[in-house]
Each structure stands twice: as C-alpha cells, then as structure tokens.
C-alpha cells in the first residue's frame, strides 16, 4: 500500500509539472509575440519594452514554478509516506 | 538527487541552537554588504569618484522607482527596500562562489524576508493612519470585503515566499541535475540564466514590497488628499 502511494506521488508530480507548464508556455509565447510586434512598430522604445517584458515573463514563469514547488512537495515532503 | 530541497541540514550547533549552512552564508553576506556600504559611504565628496557615481546612480534609480510605484516621498522606505533588494541580489548571486548555496534557495530565508515585508506594511500603515485608520482599510470599500482583505494579506505573503523560493530553488535543482548528467562546461549557460533570474527576482521582490507598503500607506486616496493634489 505504501508502494502504491509512492507510485501515485511520482505520477502526480509529473502530471503537475507537465500540465502546469502548458498555460505559462502559451502565455509567454503571447507576451513575447506582443512585445516583438511592439518593438517592430516602435524600435525606439525597445529598452523599456524589453525590461517590462522580462519582468512580465518572470511573473508568468512563477506560475510554472508554483507547479514545480507542488511537485517537489509531493516528491520530498509527502505527508502520506511514512 | 535524494536530498530534499525542503529540509535544511544542520551544519553545527551553537549551544542548543542548530545552525544551518544558509545561516552561515547569510552572516557572510551581511558582513560583506555592511563592509562594502561602510567603505563606500565613508569618503563621500561633492566631486564623486567612480564608486560614488555607481552608488548615487543606484540610490537615485531606487528613489525614482519608489516614487513611481508608491506615489510618496521615498525617504522613509529607501533603507528597507534598498536593503531587501541588495540582500536578495547578493544571496541569489552568491551561488557563483563555488561551494556556496544561495540562502534564498531555503524556505526559511524566504519566509523571514516575506515576514519582514508583512510586518513593515502593518507598521507603516499604523504609523501613517493610526491603528483605527489602518484597521478601517480592511473594511474598504465595504464591510463585506473584510474576510477577503484578510485572506489577501496571507496569500500575497505566501506568494512572495513561494515565488522567490521556487525560482532560486529550481535554479539550484536544475544545476545539480545537469551537473550529474554532464560534466564540465554544460552547466555554464544555466548559471548565466540563474544570474538573470536572480536579478529579476530581486527586482520583483522589491517592487512587490513597494506595492504592498504603498497599499498599506495609501490604499484608497481620500477626497481630502485628492483635493490637496489638485493645484
């Protein structure tokens, strides 16, 4: 029974990371595409745009990192594994 | 990779108090930052040298950022925000020194940093509005929002903790995995990426601290302050 919980935990960690990466990946793609579009229109504001873009990307990436933290919690600090 | 990133191994005991590696690195960083700040501000002159120029540029950028984000005079908040930024930046970049693990990759350091922000927001809010005025901000715009506002205090502190911890810890994790898979030169691009992530996370943490402090100090501008702002 203990073994089953470990198998399920590993599966859950993999599913959490893989599905949690989908949303942020799409969002980062949209953000970068929008920034590229804006830079192509206004090359003179590229500095401000890329700075804001980096901060925004880090914010979006944090969503994926939350999933990673959950996966790490499940793998290393699982309360149901003796 | 069997070592859990959530547990903190004890390095040695100082009497009954267990001291972990992160605490020792924190002491080192505090010593380095304090010494550097003391050495840089000892001989300030009207005609600045190179070091003083960099220092003034940093302080000025910080002031402008605080002014833009919080819409207040930066003097009361400069020390707190600047120290937070410098410490997190130094902690994130300390992984460049071989054998040192960044203390922000441990949950405890991040909890303490977020607690400082939470307590500072309460402290500054009480100092500017009084206890009654600060408590009243929880009931804005109406008393229905009280539970939501209380929960918001907790969740945003929690997200501060997990954001910093997750980003730095995942960097350390990825480095460890690549190092165990492939040897000498492969981890270097990841280390460069870690530098970028560390700097951005330090910036984001201090900006969010500014936003929280600003919300506590001036959550909803009352009509009176708005009138004062009009010429």
């Amino acid at each position: 029974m203990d073994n089953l919980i470990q198998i399920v935990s590993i599966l859950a960690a993999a599913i959490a990371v893989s599905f949690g990466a989908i949303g942020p990946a799409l969002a980062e793609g949209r953000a970068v595409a929008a920034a590229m579009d804006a830079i192509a229109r206004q090359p003179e504001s590229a500095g401000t745009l890329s700075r804001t873009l980096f901060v925004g990307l880090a914010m979006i990436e944090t969503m994926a990192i939350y999933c990673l933290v959950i996966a790490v919690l499940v793998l290393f600090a699982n309360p149901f594994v003796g | 990779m069997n070592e859990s990133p959530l547990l903190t191994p004890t390095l040695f005991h100082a009497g009954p108090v267990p001291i972990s590696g992160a605490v020792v690195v924190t002491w080192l960083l505090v010593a380095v930052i304090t010494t550097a700040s003391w050495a840089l501000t000892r001989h300030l002159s009207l005609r600045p040298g190179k070091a003083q120029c960099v220092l003034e540029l940093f302080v000025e950028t910080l002031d402008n950022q605080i002014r833009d984000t919080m819409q207040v005079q930066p003097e009361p908040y400069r020390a707190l925000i600047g120290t937070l930024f410098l410490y997190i930046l130094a902690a994130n970049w300390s992984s460049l020194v071989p054998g040192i693990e960044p203390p922000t990759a441990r949950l405890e350091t991040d909890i303490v940093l977020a607690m400082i922000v939470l307590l500072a927001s309460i402290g500054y809010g009480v100092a500017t509005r009084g206890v009654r005025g600060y408590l009243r901000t929880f009931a804005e715009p109406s008393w229905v929002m009280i539970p939501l506002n209380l929960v918001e205090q907790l969740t945003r502190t929690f997200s501060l903790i997990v954001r910093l911890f997750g980003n730095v810890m995942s960097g350390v994790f990825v480095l460890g995995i690549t190092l165990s898979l492939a040897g000498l030169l492969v981890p270097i691009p990841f280390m460069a990426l870690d530098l970028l992530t560390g700097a951005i996370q330090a910036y984001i943490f201090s900006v969010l601290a500014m936003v929280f402090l600003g919300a506590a100090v001036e959550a909803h501008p009352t009509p009176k302050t708005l009138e004062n702002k009009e010429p």
Side-chain angles (χ1 to χ4, degrees):
Chain A
M1 198 57 197
D2 201 39
N3 207 1
L4 181 68
I5 290 177
Q6 285 170 358
I7 293 170
V8 170
S9 306
I10 292 172
L11 270 180
I15 290 173
V17 170
S18 53
F19 278 89
I22 293 176
L26 289 176
E28 288 201 354
R30 288 185 63 125
V32 173
M36 289 291 165
D37 207 22
I39 290 177
R41 279 169 206 266
Q42 278 184 305
E44 67 271 10
S45 61
T48 321
L49 274 173
S50 53
R51 198 171 60 232
T52 323
L53 174 71
F54 270 121
V55 174
L57 283 187
M59 287 290 211
I60 297 168
E61 213 172 67
T62 307
M63 296 300 131
I65 299 270
Y66 286 160
C67 298
L68 177 71
V69 170
I70 295 295
V72 167
L73 266 177
V74 164
L75 286 182
F76 289 106
N78 198 330
F80 302 110
V81 174
Chain B
M1 292 306 297
N2 282 326
E3 188 195 353
S4 163
L6 298 162
L7 295 176
T8 310
T10 306
L11 206 62
F12 60 91
H13 284 78
V17 188
I19 305 288
S20 68
V23 175
V24 177
V25 177
T26 303
W27 287 341
L28 281 178
L29 286 175
V30 167
V32 167
I33 294 176
T34 313
T35 318
S37 310
W38 176 78
L40 279 176
T41 52
R42 211 157 53 99
H43 295 297
L44 291 181
S45 61
L46 268 179
R47 304 176 120 253
K50 275 179 193 163
Q52 196 184 338
C53 265
V54 174
L55 195 67
E56 285 180 5
L57 189 68
F58 174 71
V59 173
E60 214 155 285
T61 316
L62 184 68
D63 276 5
N64 283 333
Q65 193 74 48
I66 295 177
R67 215 172 278 133
D68 287 348
T69 314
M70 294 172 64
Q71 313 284 345
V72 289
Q73 286 301 311
E75 280 80 18
Y77 312 102
R78 184 194 292 144
L80 176 67
I81 305 284
T83 311
L84 274 178
F85 178 76
L86 275 184
Y87 172 70
I88 297 175
L89 188 69
N92 289 349
W93 283 7
S94 68
S95 62
L96 280 187
V97 182
I100 284 188
E101 189 183 353
T104 37
R106 296 285 170 198
L107 204 47
E108 290 83 359
T109 316
D110 304 326
I111 292 176
V112 169
L113 288 171
M115 276 301 162
I116 290 174
V117 174
L118 177 67
L119 293 182
S121 80
I122 295 174
Y124 279 117
V126 169
T128 47
R129 294 160 171 267
V131 176
R132 195 175 283 268
Y134 178 70
L135 288 180
R136 199 173 289 138
T137 60
F138 284 99
E140 282 178 5
S142 78
W143 59 269
V144 187
M145 301 293 284
I146 290 177
L148 271 182
N149 283 333
L150 283 176
V151 168
E152 189 205 354
Q153 293 274 334
L154 290 181
T155 51
R156 68 189 192 185
T157 307
F158 185 74
S159 81
L160 263 189
I161 297 170
V162 178
R163 178 177 293 119
L164 187 58
F165 167 69
N167 276 286
V168 183
M169 181 270 293
S170 68
V172 174
F173 218 66
V174 167
L175 265 189
I177 292 173
T178 40
L179 208 58
S180 68
L181 285 180
L184 189 57
L185 295 174
V186 183
I188 290 180
F190 291 101
M191 291 176 84
L193 190 66
D194 271 1
L195 283 188
L196 184 68
T197 316
I200 292 180
Q201 287 308 317
Y203 176 70
I204 287 182
F205 193 97
S206 40
V207 165
L208 285 177
M210 280 178 218
V211 170
F212 296 163
L213 291 186
V217 172
E218 184 87 350
H220 300 280
T222 53
K224 202 175 159 193
T225 52
L226 276 181
E227 271 167 29
N228 288 344
K229 271 178 193 164
E230 304 283 33

